[in-house]
Amino acid sequence: MDNQQDNQQDNQQDAPSDARPVLEGPDIARVLTRIAHEIVERARGADDVVLLGIPTRGVFLAQRLAAKLEEITERKIPVGSLDITMYRDDLRMHPPRALARTEIPGDGIDGRLVVLVDDVLFSGRTIRAALDALNDIGRPRAVQLAVLVDRGHRELPIRADYVGKNLPTSLRETVKVLLAEEDGRDTVLLGAKQTQ
């Protein structure tokens, strides 16, 4: 997720008792289909598109998006994951965390259109870290960003190219994304932030 401290806590705790769903499984499937069509339109066929998901839920979303793109284009879409842990600007402020996997498709990313995929865009700091990590791996032709939810409150000048749902929130609210691969069901929940 994008706001490192707040959103990590969102995914580690149970949903707040007042949380209400803002997207359910069919909605998530529908917005991923729409994003896939938008990518094909902007990339003029998606011939050089590579999808890289940001762990954890961004990886699952990237895999689902690749499947939708393959249905539309009838060609295999390279998909991988990009661990940004060591590029975060909050490493010294939190306990050590386990590294996730970076998996780059066999043909690499040089000269390709890389679409970074994440679940929630918030401050922009996770995406900044992803851009730094990407820079160490290769030199894409262009980089775009696809997110399931954009909740606003940017701290850096970063904007998503593809957004499933714009969800204006207050800083007192949390957005929790649950996906079947990790959580057993698909939903996006909005609730009040838990006080510590």
Side-chain angles (χ1 to χ4, degrees):
M1 288 190 129
D2 196 71
N3 181 331
Q4 50 279 42
Q5 181 178 4
D6 296 338
N7 288 338
Q8 271 185 349
Q9 291 172 355
D10 287 351
N11 284 334
Q12 292 171 356
Q13 299 173 357
D14 291 330
S17 58
D18 70 334
R20 64 180 174 85
V22 292
L23 289 175
E24 294 286 0
D27 305 315
I28 293 171
R30 193 168 31 258
V31 299
L32 289 176
T33 298
R34 176 177 46 79
I35 289 171
H37 281 281
E38 290 174 4
I39 290 171
V40 169
E41 184 175 339
R42 282 179 87 173
R44 294 183 174 90
D47 289 339
D48 68 342
V49 169
V50 175
L51 300 177
L52 293 180
I54 299 172
T56 298
R57 288 162 184 81
V59 175
F60 302 129
L61 291 170
Q63 292 165 348
R64 292 185 191 188
L65 200 49
K68 301 272 188 194
L69 285 167
E70 288 169 9
E71 288 175 18
I72 297 166
T73 64
E74 298 181 349
R75 63 176 296 276
K76 184 80 173 149
I77 303 296
V79 62
S81 62
L82 182 66
D83 177 42
I84 55 131
T85 303
M86 299 308 294
Y87 296 87
R88 299 187 74 99
D89 62 6
D90 65 346
L91 276 177
R92 66 185 179 284
M93 298 185 291
H94 297 286
R97 60 186 96 194
L99 296 177
R101 292 182 60 151
T102 291
E103 294 180 0
I104 302 302
D107 289 340
I109 62 168
D110 290 340
R112 310 289 295 271
L113 169 59
V114 172
V115 179
L116 296 173
V117 183
D118 204 5
D119 54 356
V120 177
L121 178 58
F122 190 9
S123 69
R125 292 182 181 277
T126 292
I127 303 309
R128 184 215 43 89
L131 292 170
D132 289 346
L134 201 58
N135 190 50
D136 282 352
I137 293 168
R139 191 173 194 277
R141 173 178 64 77
V143 179
Q144 295 178 348
L145 175 61
V147 297
L148 183 61
V149 175
D150 183 345
R151 63 170 292 189
H153 304 286
R154 215 74 75 240
E155 296 172 7
L156 298 172
I158 289 174
R159 177 185 59 83
D161 300 279
Y162 311 101
V163 177
K165 182 169 183 68
N166 285 297
L167 186 63
T169 62
S170 83
L171 291 173
R172 295 182 307 275
E173 293 175 307
T174 63
V175 174
K176 183 175 177 79
V177 173
L178 303 176
L179 296 177
E181 296 91 335
E182 179 82 4
D183 309 295
R185 67 181 175 132
D186 286 349
T187 191
V188 176
L189 301 171
L190 177 65
K193 186 180 289 187
Q194 300 293 312
T195 55
Q196 308 259 334

